[in-house]
Amino acid sequence: VTDKSVLFNAQEEGNFLRMSGNPQLFDSLLEPVFVLNSDAKIIYCNETAALLTGQTPRKLMRSQPKLSEIFQFSEPIDG
């Protein structure tokens, strides 16, 4: 995960959809975007973020893995 990755914590997927209004807006960004729920599980990611994982956005959003299951961090992350 690069320092340019965007990590956004939403209480639940419904809140994210209401707050963002148009989640497809994130699809046009060249930077990776992961949206996490309160359990640090991925509820949304754009194509660039999915490329970092080697999986499709659809697979990540359906399986909702924890971010720490996908990436190794040098320090523990909250959640």
Side-chain angles (χ1 to χ4, degrees), residues 8-23 25-26 35-36 43:
F8 175 79
N9 191 342
Q11 289 296 320
E12 58 184 88
E13 187 172 2
N15 283 346
F16 164 66
L17 295 174
R18 282 191 296 280
M19 290 177 355
S20 67
N22 184 6
L25 172 70
F26 296 119
V35 178
L36 311 176
I43 60 170

Side-chain angles (χ1 to χ4, degrees), residues 26-46:
F26 296 119
D27 292 336
S28 64
L29 299 175
L30 298 177
E31 295 296 329
V33 176
F34 292 96
V35 178
L36 311 176
N37 67 12
S38 59
D39 295 323
K41 292 184 177 183
I42 298 169
I43 60 170
Y44 173 84
C45 69
N46 65 0

